[in-house]
Amino acid sequence: MTGTHDVGAGRDTRAWRVASRVLDPELPVVTIEDLGILRDVTEDDQGRVHVQVTPTYSGCPAMETIRTDLIDRLSEEGYLHVTVEFVLSPAWSTDQITAQGRARLEEYGVAPPPTEAERRQGPVGLTLSVRCPQCGSPDTRESSRFGSTACKSLWVCRHCREPFDHFKAL
Amino acid sequence: MTTPRITPRTTSAHVDYVLGLADDALVSAQRMGWWISRAPQLEEDLALANIGLDLLGQARSLLSHAGRLEGEGRDEDDLAYWRDERDFRNVKLVERPQDDFGVAMARLLVLSTWQSELYAALQRSSDPVLAAVAAKASKEVAYHHDHARQWVLRLGDGTDESHARMQAALDAEWPWVAELFDQSHLDPALVAEGVAVAPESLREPVLRRLGDVVREATLEVPEVAPRVPGGRAGLHTEHLGRLLAEMQHLTRSHPGATW
């Protein structure tokens, strides 16, 4: 691991703007910036770019695709020497998903995680109801704590009867 | 934070400590993967696969770290696929087959309770990489514990049949619990330097939390003699070799293959 940077210290660079448009491969309506997993992009005076991303979960299988996509997008924009580093600290939390990211998830049919204020205790202590992203009803139930990916759980709406994914608080 | 005194002896003990935690997670992940397509319902298939994936992710970070500490150029794949049984440092709890669903849930309850206490303490490790892995893993393990707890409660406090089988599963796992707290193979310097968490310090909180769940499930905490430890020194049951044979076979038959 290289030295620690302030998170997003390179945010106003062109390389950041390119990197920030890379989509999450499993939720292709949100960018890695929306999810809050793009930690930093630095460009040195030789034009070499170093990108830091953090996984949502330790075993997230999307990380290798994200690495490849970052290298592809940046090289298309003329950055020929790109390194991507996975950093673990500080640990990612669903609180780092941006407001735009939350809105895009909901529009896509994935109920966004509870905000920090909505959570009463710890990551597992979610007791508030999850609003159905299809019809908006709060009358929903969890059908499985573990869904199609590590970061989601599976829910069913009692009102419109549709199943939906919920981005779990972490 | 003081800088730990680095001597060759401590470095080797440090590598062994990290490998122990890595191998616990790696071997557990492999055992959890066995359930894919065999779980009682689709949702459970997904749950156990996801839990195994979290454990695999933790193992990868820890193995990579052990390789860097060792300084001999071994990466996570070298350590996962090219070490033999005697070089694995996991506890014996995790290596035995778990082809009974009750046993799988009893073991996950034990493992996740122990890991949640361990990782909570390890977030203050003087080794910054261990601290970072622990902070990340803590949140994941909370979900594993919740999942195991719900099943133990449901099966223990269910029918006569499920109660009896859940109790039998606890009885099968309990002799292997004590090894988690054994520190005979840990260099005390690592604890003194703040790198490692003293295994013995986790005994009380882990057993208390396990007892609370077991009693809430109307089950009994087994009173059994502990098995002899040794996994941390590479002395395993006959089951680990077979698990590794399956896990390592492809890489060893086709070294360096990519896809």
Side-chain angles (χ1 to χ4, degrees):
Chain A
M1 258 180 231
T2 60
T4 51
H5 304 276
D6 292 335
V7 171
R11 198 174 288 262
D12 51 357
T13 62
R14 188 171 76 92
W16 172 285
R17 287 193 293 277
V18 174
S20 68
R21 289 197 293 269
V22 168
L23 297 174
D24 179 272
E26 288 180 349
L27 289 163
V29 290
V30 286
T31 67
I32 58 175
E33 183 184 41
D34 290 336
L35 280 179
I37 63 175
L38 180 61
R39 283 282 163 84
D40 205 1
V41 180
T42 50
E43 186 181 344
D44 70 11
D45 51 13
Q46 311 286 318
R48 290 178 296 215
V49 173
H50 184 69
V51 184
Q52 289 187 325
V53 282
T54 193
T56 54
Y57 282 71
S58 299
C60 178
M63 294 309 283
E64 281 307 320
T65 306
I66 291 172
R67 181 205 297 272
T68 312
D69 289 350
L70 277 165
I71 292 171
D72 287 352
R73 291 296 92 71
L74 283 158
S75 56
E76 283 165 14
E77 294 293 328
Y79 297 101
L80 298 181
H81 189 95
V82 178
T83 49
V84 178
E85 180 188 9
F86 299 145
V87 294
L88 290 182
S89 182
W92 180 81
S93 149
T94 38
D95 296 336
Q96 288 159 19
I97 300 176
T98 63
Q100 175 174 272
R102 297 174 60 86
R104 285 174 169 174
L105 283 173
E106 184 149 25
E107 195 179 333
Y108 185 59
V110 175
T115 59
E116 205 166 357
E118 285 165 353
R119 267 186 287 119
R120 296 200 308 187
Q121 69 219 8
V124 178
L126 75 161
T127 45
L128 295 176
S129 79
V130 173
R131 201 157 49 85
C132 172
Q134 324 281 355
C135 73
S137 167
D139 187 13
T140 60
R141 68 175 177 87
E142 185 183 67
S143 60
S144 177
R145 177 64 52 87
F146 294 85
S148 55
T149 63
C151 51
K152 289 177 287 185
S153 56
L154 197 58
W155 287 64
V156 178
C157 177
R158 289 198 183 91
H159 182 72
C160 72
R161 310 276 176 194
E162 288 287 330
F164 63 92
D165 280 330
H166 168 53
F167 213 113
K168 291 191 286 196
L170 189 74
Chain B
M1 196 188 297
T2 56
T3 308
R5 179 178 49 91
I6 300 295
T7 64
R9 180 169 148 272
T10 348
T11 304
S12 154
H14 193 160
V15 171
D16 269 359
Y17 179 68
V18 177
L19 277 180
L21 306 186
D23 291 343
D24 290 342
L26 178 64
V27 171
S28 299
Q30 181 73 8
R31 284 286 180 222
M32 212 50 96
W34 183 90
W35 280 98
I36 297 172
S37 81
R38 292 180 168 111
Q41 58 202 34
L42 181 60
E43 288 80 359
E44 195 58 29
D45 240 52
L46 288 172
L48 298 184
N50 274 317
I51 290 170
L53 194 57
D54 286 344
L55 290 165
L56 184 63
Q58 294 160 17
R60 291 184 61 182
S61 296
L62 291 166
L63 286 173
S64 298
H65 183 44
R68 280 189 299 266
L69 284 172
E70 184 188 52
E72 290 176 14
R74 292 203 284 183
D75 66 11
E76 52 175 319
D77 286 345
D78 295 324
L79 289 168
Y81 294 123
W82 293 94
R83 277 182 304 149
D84 287 327
E85 182 198 349
R86 285 294 295 265
D87 298 321
F88 272 73
R89 293 285 175 267
N90 57 280
V91 289
K92 292 187 269 192
L93 171 80
V94 298
E95 71 198 33
R96 296 165 308 110
Q98 51 169 13
D99 50 7
D100 174 275
F101 188 71
V103 165
M105 289 305 105
R107 188 177 308 172
L108 184 61
L109 183 73
V110 172
L111 180 72
S112 61
T113 305
W114 174 73
Q115 283 186 326
S116 73
E117 293 293 329
L118 169 73
Y119 288 142
L122 207 56
Q123 292 180 44
R124 297 184 297 275
S125 172
S126 58
D127 173 341
V129 179
L130 270 185
V133 173
K136 184 94 197 132
S138 279
K139 301 175 174 205
E140 296 160 0
V141 167
Y143 276 108
H144 306 174
H145 179 265
D146 186 58
H147 189 74
R149 179 178 167 275
Q150 287 189 25
W151 271 115
V152 171
L153 292 179
R154 192 190 302 183
L155 295 173
D157 198 10
T159 65
D160 289 346
E161 172 75 9
S162 72
H163 178 90
R165 290 179 63 174
M166 197 61 235
Q167 184 65 55
L170 292 178
D171 294 347
E173 293 310 288
W174 235 250
W176 308 91
V177 171
E179 187 181 7
L180 293 168
F181 316 121
D182 176 64
Q183 44 196 40
S184 52
H185 302 291
L186 178 67
D187 186 340
L190 284 184
V191 177
E193 290 163 2
V195 171
V197 173
E200 183 58 41
S201 69
L202 303 173
R203 181 190 298 271
E204 193 278 327
V206 169
L207 293 182
R208 180 168 36 79
R209 284 178 61 189
L210 286 174
D212 288 347
V213 175
V214 168
R215 280 184 292 273
E216 190 184 348
T218 73
L219 297 161
E220 287 176 17
V221 177
E223 292 196 16
V224 289
R227 291 296 193 121
V228 178
R232 299 281 189 233
L235 300 171
H236 294 282
T237 66
E238 69 270 31
H239 304 295
L240 182 63
R242 296 192 189 117
L243 178 146
L244 295 180
E246 184 173 76
M247 189 180 87
Q248 297 177 331
H249 161 256
L250 193 67
T251 304
R252 292 189 178 210
S253 300
H254 304 278
T258 57
W259 56 278

